[in-house]
Amino acid sequence: MTRYALLVRGINVGGKNKVVMAELRQELTDVGLEKVESYINSGNIFFTSTEPKARLVEKLETFFAVHYPFIQSFSLLSQEDYEAEVDNLPAWWNEDLARKDVLFYTEGLDVEQVIATVESLELKDEVVHFGKLGIFWGKFSEETYSKTAYHKGLLKMPFYRHITIRNAKTFDKIGQMLKTKKGDTQ
């Protein structure tokens, strides 16, 4: 049995694409996912399954196409994927930066193209790390944040609509939720 995090892009943001998380949890249980939980109201879902990841991706794509057609991008990562990523993070990720975000690659995304695009940017008071699950992006100062490539260019990038972003606090919470299976007494 493998524990997964399903990170859905663009739901319950600014009153758009409303999804009632309790209903979504039940619907995902009904399609065969086990121990389904969610964290906050922005598309962080956790479950266990014995199915291979490729089969789960197909199942989720079909499910969203039928029930939530506005959900076109999501990331699916296992506890093992997450832990391997944490083991390879740069030292700056653990420092107290002004802002830290993870731009998670979504299923079907051309990751090489995304990396090439980000590598072409002129970074201003910021740092990036290209991981297996996404791009880890740190901003050093709130005062210079509005001048960063992240702030000035990210929304304009062609891949923006096909990534899902979580801040460092949520990234840490994803790790905790992956380790704690529903019903555990930890």
Side-chain angles (χ1 to χ4, degrees):
M1 189 73 69
T2 302
R3 183 83 167 152
Y4 289 94
L6 169 63
L7 308 177
V8 179
R9 185 196 189 285
I11 64 169
N12 299 333
V13 178
K16 293 183 177 181
N17 299 332
K18 288 223 167 236
V19 175
V20 177
M21 297 308 287
E23 291 175 12
L24 179 58
R25 287 191 307 268
Q26 185 57 55
E27 291 166 338
L28 290 171
T29 299
D30 292 346
V31 297
L33 305 182
E34 298 178 39
K35 299 179 181 177
V36 180
E37 298 179 273
S38 58
Y39 169 68
I40 60 179
N41 205 29
S42 60
N44 305 296
I45 300 121
F46 304 88
F47 64 89
T48 57
S49 179
T50 57
E51 291 188 63
K53 183 177 177 181
R55 174 66 187 116
L56 289 170
V57 168
E58 290 174 11
K59 180 183 274 192
L60 290 165
E61 286 173 343
T62 300
F63 170 79
F64 288 133
V66 171
H67 297 282
Y68 300 95
F70 54 85
I71 296 175
Q72 298 180 356
S73 297
F74 63 87
S75 298
L76 183 63
L77 51 133
S78 69
Q79 180 178 352
E80 183 179 304
D81 295 336
Y82 179 92
E83 290 171 357
E85 189 78 294
V86 168
D87 289 344
N88 290 302
L89 289 176
W92 64 259
W93 184 256
N94 295 313
E95 295 174 10
D96 190 23
L97 278 62
R99 295 182 188 208
K100 295 184 284 189
D101 294 296
V102 183
L103 286 63
F104 283 97
Y105 307 132
T106 53
E107 298 301 322
L109 183 69
D110 184 343
V111 173
E112 289 180 15
Q113 182 182 27
V114 170
I115 290 172
T117 302
V118 173
E119 284 178 328
S120 72
L121 298 174
E122 183 180 339
L123 299 183
K124 306 255 189 206
D125 203 25
E126 59 199 312
V127 63
V128 296
H129 166 75
F130 300 102
K132 292 193 182 298
L133 301 178
I135 300 171
F136 293 76
W137 208 315
K139 285 70 77 178
F140 291 106
S141 165
E142 281 296 330
E143 290 77 32
T144 61
Y145 175 70
S146 64
K147 295 180 173 114
T148 61
Y150 183 92
H151 178 76
K152 290 174 80 174
L154 186 61
L155 290 172
K156 300 172 191 166
M157 293 181 190
F159 66 80
Y160 178 74
R161 293 180 185 265
H162 304 285
I163 56 170
T164 187
I165 302 172
R166 302 298 188 272
N167 65 29
K169 180 181 174 187
T170 302
F171 178 77
D172 290 344
K173 186 64 176 185
I174 289 167
Q176 293 169 19
M177 296 290 290
L178 282 167
K179 289 179 185 171
T180 306
K181 295 181 178 52
K182 189 175 178 181
D184 283 358
T185 55
Q186 292 184 349

